[in-house]
Amino acid sequence: MSERGRFISLEGGEGVGKSTQVKALADALRQRGLDVLVTREPGGSEGAERIRELLLTGSQERWGARAEALLFAAARADHVEKAIEPALKSGKWVISDRFVDSSLAYQGGAGGLGIEAVRAINAFGIDENFPDCTLILTLEEGGERARARDLNGSDRIGGRSDDYHRKVEAAFHIIAAEDPDRVKLVDASGAADAVTLRILEAIKELLQ
Ligand code: TYD
């Protein structure tokens, strides 16, 4: 039986360059000879991609805060069961572009449900498969939203108010402070290569 792989999630508000860093981190791990699965949320499995459509399209009123949080949690449970857990069991390293901390920050912190309530509804679906390390990419206020307006302005969640997105950012800082062993803040300013080096530094204990 192969040794269980490691699970890393990348998080952050809109427009922090997360996707670029997910690819760069996967390349860096593959160069070290590791077998890597890159995945994303909401999505990452057939069922979860279907739920993604329901979550990111349509009017704001399509889902209330609780239904929205439960749909993210349901998508995540399927993603874990069908993609993440099998990969970890087979010894792969998993890098997920967003995971549970997005729900804690968006639905919990900004959506008004509270971080603890959202953690509780997600625990059932995640079971033992919590990330070994979570990296939250941060940019100083303003820069992030300016970039995001071009990128994500039109989806159901990316298009929410600046006030909502400020609360997301604040919640990410709270999450990092509450769980410093698992969650690290990474400065996402400057050249992409420099950010990748900061990420590799933040996960160096996993790589030993
Ligand atoms: P996506 O297009 O994947 O955006 P990004 O490039 O910012 O990752 O859209 C995902 C959106 O869903 C994004 O606005 C964050 C939001 N989201 C939540 O609100 N809760 C969650 O649990 C997850 C995973 C994402």
Side-chain angles (χ1 to χ4, degrees), residues 4-18:
R4 188 179 169 85
R6 298 276 187 270
F7 180 13
I8 300 168
S9 57
L10 259 74
E11 299 279 4
E14 316 286 317
V16 291
K18 219 164 13 67

Side-chain angles (χ1 to χ4, degrees), residues 139-161:
L139 278 179
E140 81 286 359
E141 211 187 316
E144 179 179 326
R145 285 303 289 154
R147 282 215 248 162
R149 263 182 215 107
D150 297 338
L151 293 171
N152 283 359
S154 56
D155 82 48
R156 205 178 141 266
I157 293 176
R160 288 178 181 168
S161 69

Side-chain angles (χ1 to χ4, degrees), residues 10-19 40-43 52 55-56 68-69 71-73 75-76 96-108 118 122 145 148 151-152 155-160 164-165 168 172:
L10 259 74
E11 299 279 4
E14 316 286 317
V16 291
K18 219 164 13 67
S19 318
R40 68 146 182 201
E41 288 205 345
R52 176 188 174 92
L55 280 162
L56 298 185
E68 177 179 300
L71 281 169
F72 274 112
R76 183 161 299 123
S96 189
D97 185 341
R98 298 192 181 281
F99 194 65
V100 65
D101 299 285
S102 280
S103 280
L104 303 187
Y106 284 78
Q107 285 65 50
V118 175
N122 276 278
R145 285 303 289 154
L151 293 171
N152 283 359
D155 82 48
R156 205 178 141 266
I157 293 176
R160 288 178 181 168
Y164 183 92
H165 289 283
V168 168
F172 272 134

